[in-house]
């Protein structure tokens, strides 16, 4: 599901185009935010989110099965020469504390894991960075903290240098987060 998600500013607007396949493009964005929260978070998602779900996705899936079998995925992003402002480019995973997921809420009950392909110089992920990891043959700064809006834990793997495209095993990141105690294997 492609979702246009303007939530961090009451006066913001956003226009996106999508397709073919699993692609979208932000064609216009307005708004500003005086806090740390983004103005918007346009995304593609698979699974369940805020009353919507994808058909036959196989999600939710137990964390223990992801860390055992993995999930092969890929993600790419580009910016046009006219792109301005502060933005990140990230792959986001939501965790639930129950086997049925969290299909009717916009906040995960178990927390977040993010893989940042681009980090703006003026902004940072939730929490603090105190360690590094080498995953998917890339070097990452690992950030951990609590989302102030939801009170849920958030672990972010931030590429030490921008990555424009990557095919990877998402289970490798999740397994690392479990090993560090940031995500529960159950």
């Amino acid at each position: 599901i492609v979702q246009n998600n303007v939530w961090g500013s009451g006066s913001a607007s956003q226009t996106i185009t999508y397709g073919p396949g699993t692609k979208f493009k932000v064609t216009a964005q307005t708004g500003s935010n005086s806090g740390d929260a983004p103005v918007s978070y346009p995304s593609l998602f698979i699974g369940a989110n805020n009353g919507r779900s994808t058909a036959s996705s196989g999600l939710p899936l137990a964390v223990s099965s992801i860390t055992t079998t993995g999930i092969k995925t890929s993600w790419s992003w580009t910016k046009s020469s006219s792109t301005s402002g502060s933005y990140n480019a990230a792959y986001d995973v939501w965790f639930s504390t129950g086997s049925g997921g969290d299909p009717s809420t916009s906040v995960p009950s178990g927390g977040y894991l993010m893989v940042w392909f681009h980090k703006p110089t003026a902004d940072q992920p939730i929490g603090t960075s105190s360690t590094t990891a080498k995953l998917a043959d890339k070097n990452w700064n690992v950030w951990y903290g609590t989302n102030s809006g939801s009170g849920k834990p958030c672990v972010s793997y931030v590429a030490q240098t921008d990555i424009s495209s990557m095919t990877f095993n998402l289970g490798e990141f999740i397994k690392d987060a479990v090993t560090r105690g940031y995500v529960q294997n159950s």
Side-chain angles (χ1 to χ4, degrees):
I1 293 176
V2 178
Q3 66 179 357
N4 179 305
N5 191 355
V6 179
W7 59 271
S9 172
S11 62
S13 68
Q14 180 181 80
T15 305
I16 60 175
T17 58
Y18 61 92
T22 56
K23 296 179 181 182
F24 74 88
K25 179 179 181 179
V26 177
T27 56
Q29 174 73 55
T30 64
S32 62
N33 192 346
S34 60
D36 291 335
V39 170
S40 67
Y41 199 90
S43 61
L44 293 168
F45 79 84
I46 185 170
N49 178 262
N50 206 20
R52 297 172 295 165
S53 62
T54 57
S56 305
S57 69
L59 295 172
L61 194 59
V63 170
S64 58
S65 68
I66 296 170
T67 58
T68 302
T69 62
I71 295 177
K72 189 170 183 174
T73 189
S74 62
W75 205 79
S76 300
W77 72 279
T78 58
K79 70 172 190 142
S80 71
S81 59
S82 63
T83 301
S84 63
S86 182
Y87 61 91
N88 77 348
Y91 195 105
D92 199 350
V93 181
W94 289 21
F95 294 96
S96 173
T97 56
S99 62
D102 299 313
S104 61
T105 181
S106 62
V107 176
S109 60
Y112 311 81
L113 181 146
M114 299 181 80
V115 180
W116 287 43
F117 286 51
H118 167 74
K119 179 194 165 302
T121 55
D123 296 302
Q124 69 181 45
I126 292 169
T128 58
S129 175
S130 60
T131 189
T132 60
K134 183 160 182 123
L135 300 166
D137 293 322
K138 308 282 186 205
N139 293 314
W140 307 87
N141 293 321
V142 183
W143 292 70
Y144 182 75
T146 302
N147 182 305
S148 62
S150 69
K152 301 301 177 188
C154 181
V155 58
S156 299
Y157 294 85
V158 180
Q160 291 180 354
T161 58
D162 277 3
I163 300 168
S164 60
S165 181
M166 186 171 81
T167 298
F168 61 105
N169 181 349
L170 184 59
E172 191 177 348
F173 288 84
I174 296 171
K175 185 174 185 174
D176 185 77
V178 168
T179 300
R180 295 173 190 272
Y182 298 156
V183 172
Q184 299 304 307
N185 203 38
S186 59

